């Protein structure tokens, strides 16, 4: 029964330090704000089963106030893949049963791909945690009953195809509009650009 399970977090996780702040600042984020808002932690050198998560920022996936899984993001630029999730057996939910940041959705939802896209776009933005989406994720959003939904994936062709599919499904349940970026992904936008989009779509 998943309700009794707990998500196993790596041992020895710590608060972010200067090196993590530099990484976040380099990507145009306010590290203090992001760390607090999204409950970020960090893992340095690790042993045993946690080794795969070492030298990564640990990003909890919170749903209904519970940490149901987490994403570990490489900040060194040297580890592949960039993102790893906790294994399903050690989580309350598999990542594809989660929508990152879903607890902040009210009247308007903005569907994006990744955690950094959510950090840039703020409350109301939810991430499918990769280009692939699941029916469970779609259902999570439908249950929230937003009046309007926007979908903004990366500018690459494959991402746009997926965004189009999601938009078509969601449009059967709510007013859905697909937003296209000229280049890059929402996480690459400046905070000013992101704020302007928020105002235009009514999130602010």
């Amino acid at each position: 029964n998943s309700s009794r399970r707990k998500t196993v977090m790596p041992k020895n996780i710590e608060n972010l330090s200067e090196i993590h702040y530099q990484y976040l600042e380099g990507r145009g984020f306010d590290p203090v704000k992001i760390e607090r808002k999204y409950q970020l932690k960090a893992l340095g050198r690790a042993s045993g089963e946690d080794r795969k998560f070492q030298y990564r920022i640990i990003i909890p996936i919170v749903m209904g106030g519970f940490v149901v899984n987490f994403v570990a993001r490489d900040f060194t630029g040297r580890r592949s893949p960039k993102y790893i999730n906790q294994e399903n057996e050690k989580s309350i939910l598999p990542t594809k049963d989660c929508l990152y940041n879903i607890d902040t959705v009210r009247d308007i939802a903005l569907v994006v791909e990744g955690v950094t896209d959510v950090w840039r776009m703020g409350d109301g933005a939810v991430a499918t945690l990769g280009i692939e989406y699941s029916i469970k994720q779609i259902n999570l959003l439908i249950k929230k009953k937003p009046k309007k939904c926007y979908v903004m994936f990366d500018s690459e062709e494959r991402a746009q195809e997926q965004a189009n599919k999601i938009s078509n499904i969601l449009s059967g349940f709510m007013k859905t509009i697909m937003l296209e970026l000229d280049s890059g992904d929402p996480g690459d936008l400046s905070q000013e650009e992101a704020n302007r989009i928020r105002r235009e779509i009514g999130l602010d």
Side-chain angles (χ1 to χ4, degrees), residues 122-133:
D123 288 356
V126 295
T128 50
L129 302 162
I131 195 170
E132 303 299 332
Y133 60 90

Side-chain angles (χ1 to χ4, degrees), residues 10-17 19-20 23-24 40-46 49-59 70-86 119:
K11 295 179 194 69
N12 306 321
I13 48 175
E14 306 164 338
N15 292 330
L16 302 194
S17 63
I19 190 170
H20 308 107
Y23 164 75
L24 292 168
L40 305 186
K41 295 289 181 189
L43 187 64
R45 205 184 168 93
E49 294 197 354
D50 288 342
R51 267 195 69 181
K52 62 177 176 285
F53 301 127
Q54 70 180 353
Y55 305 119
R56 290 174 180 268
I57 293 175
I58 306 296
I59 305 157
F70 67 82
V71 178
R73 169 60 155 100
D74 168 54
F75 62 87
T76 65
R78 293 198 292 272
R79 288 185 165 65
S80 184
K82 274 193 281 201
Y83 293 95
I84 318 179
N85 313 318
Q86 179 56 296
W119 298 351

Side-chain angles (χ1 to χ4, degrees), residues 96 133-142 169:
K96 286 299 170 184
Y133 60 90
S134 70
I135 291 305
K136 285 208 166 148
Q137 289 177 319
I138 300 273
N139 285 337
L140 282 170
L141 195 52
I142 292 167
I169 298 170

Side-chain angles (χ1 to χ4, degrees), residues 48 72 95:
T95 44

Side-chain angles (χ1 to χ4, degrees), residues 84-170:
I84 318 179
N85 313 318
Q86 179 56 296
E87 294 157 34
N88 294 350
E89 308 73 67
K90 296 181 180 176
S91 315
I92 295 176
L93 291 173
T95 44
K96 286 299 170 184
D97 291 5
C98 307
L99 272 179
Y100 180 68
N101 206 38
I102 183 78
D103 290 356
T104 67
V105 171
R106 299 292 176 265
D107 289 346
I108 293 172
L110 172 63
V111 183
V112 295
E113 275 179 57
V115 291
T116 56
D117 301 330
V118 164
W119 298 351
R120 179 67 71 220
M121 300 310 302
D123 288 356
V126 295
T128 50
L129 302 162
I131 195 170
E132 303 299 332
Y133 60 90
S134 70
I135 291 305
K136 285 208 166 148
Q137 289 177 319
I138 300 273
N139 285 337
L140 282 170
L141 195 52
I142 292 167
K143 267 199 198 122
K144 273 282 184 177
K145 298 194 169 100
K147 295 187 176 76
K148 205 187 263 188
C149 180
Y150 293 87
V151 180
M152 184 166 66
F153 272 21
D154 301 5
S155 58
E156 61 181 42
E157 193 179 341
R158 176 95 179 83
Q160 288 302 303
E161 285 168 12
Q162 291 294 94
N164 201 14
K165 284 185 194 166
I166 290 186
S167 301
N168 285 337
I169 298 170
L170 288 171

